[in-house]
Amino acid sequence: MVLEGRLTYQGDGMSISTRAMNATTTLMNIHTDNIAHFGLPGYQRRTPVVTSFIEYLGANAVDKAVDTQVGRIRKSGNPLDVALFTQGYFQKRLPSGAVELTRDGRMRLDKDGFLLSLDGRPVLGANGAPIRFPLIPANPERDILINGSGDIRVYDEASTKTLDVGRLGVVQQDGSALSAIDVRQGHVEDSNVMLQNEFVSLLPLRRQFEANRQLFIMQSDTLSRTIQELGRPS
């Protein structure tokens, strides 16, 4: 009876150690993903969210949330680079018709005057339609103007007039429009990942993983010896 109870205890302990290692691995993956995306403009770091009873739920007790803090802003000088100094997202239309939200405001013009993201997706205006310039400016640095509200204007050399193009559609995470925004032309927002914080967060997780791994090995060895004892003839 004692040996049978010992077997049950060791088996439960090994399960708890395994679930703990799985949860710790999931947590480490969140931080390593942040590190991997450090250099990606507009990337918003993911923060781990751990629910109760992680020792029983394992990786299922770990979720992640998006850190919406504005990232590092740098000047690029490109007139079609725009950065949000406030929370919110630009919108681009995918080939499927779905709308993708992004903080990456690096844009370009195609030959037809459509404003595109760097990956070639149409950028949407406040009216939900793709933004199209009425003309291709001869000197984009001089002729394209984007104000703090996201209004785009282009100078027409032929008529010597400044034409309205449209307004950038900036929305919240749920897709609802944002009225109070601060758009800066000629700037790029880098990720909001702080490398030192991510590395510091990894250190205790690695120690926890190693501790649970050693505990698992100890319990496994104990269980193996117990099984051998049970198999010996009395």
Side-chain angles (χ1 to χ4, degrees):
M1 293 296 293
V2 173
L3 289 177
E4 183 179 354
R6 185 180 178 186
L7 273 172
T8 302
Y9 171 78
Q10 292 296 338
D12 290 344
M14 291 173 63
S15 298
I16 291 175
S17 297
T18 301
R19 288 192 291 267
M21 285 189 289
N22 288 337
T24 306
T25 300
T26 302
L27 290 168
M28 288 193 295
N29 287 340
I30 293 175
H31 292 291
T32 54
D33 282 347
N34 287 335
I35 294 171
H37 290 90
F38 170 76
L40 181 64
Y43 176 80
Q44 295 179 306
R45 68 181 293 268
R46 276 47 173 175
T47 58
V49 178
V50 180
T51 61
S52 303
F53 307 111
I54 188 172
E55 65 272 25
Y56 300 107
L57 297 176
N60 293 326
V62 180
D63 201 353
K64 54 187 175 182
V66 176
D67 182 355
T68 59
Q69 183 177 353
V70 176
R72 303 176 307 281
I73 305 293
R74 58 181 169 86
K75 191 172 183 178
S76 70
N78 187 332
L80 289 177
D81 285 345
V82 288
L84 281 170
F85 274 57
T86 54
Q87 294 186 359
Y89 299 90
F90 302 111
Q91 304 172 85
K92 56 184 180 179
R93 178 73 49 79
L94 301 179
S96 64
V99 175
E100 181 178 322
L101 305 183
T102 180
R103 293 281 300 185
D104 186 355
R106 298 173 299 166
M107 304 174 190
R108 61 181 176 87
L109 287 178
D110 71 3
K111 61 182 180 63
D112 297 317
F114 282 101
L115 186 62
L116 307 178
S117 60
L118 283 191
D119 58 359
R121 312 304 188 194
V123 176
L124 302 184
N127 60 359
I131 296 175
R132 187 178 188 181
F133 280 62
L135 56 91
I136 304 296
N139 187 340
E141 288 79 8
R142 179 198 65 192
D143 297 340
I144 297 177
L145 301 173
I146 305 175
N147 66 17
S149 298
D151 295 309
I152 306 173
R153 295 181 175 87
V154 62
Y155 176 71
D156 181 11
E157 282 188 339
S159 65
T160 66
K161 294 181 179 179
T162 301
L163 309 177
D164 290 329
V165 177
R167 173 176 288 187
L168 291 167
V170 180
V171 298
Q172 302 183 71
Q173 197 166 12
D174 61 3
S176 58
L178 271 172
S179 55
I181 61 174
D182 185 4
V183 176
R184 302 291 178 90
Q185 183 180 16
H187 291 76
V188 172
E189 178 189 4
D190 288 325
S191 74
N192 62 359
V193 175
M194 302 295 289
L195 283 180
Q196 63 270 29
N197 294 343
E198 302 301 326
F199 283 116
V200 167
S201 297
L202 278 174
L203 292 176
L205 292 174
R206 287 172 175 166
R207 287 195 293 265
Q208 290 172 24
F209 182 89
E210 183 59 27
N212 280 291
R213 190 179 77 87
Q214 292 297 332
L215 186 59
F216 178 87
I217 293 173
M218 292 170 57
Q219 293 173 123
S220 178
D221 290 343
T222 302
L223 182 60
S224 296
R225 289 195 298 269
T226 303
I227 292 175
Q228 291 175 1
E229 292 176 7
L230 287 173
R232 291 175 182 174
S234 53

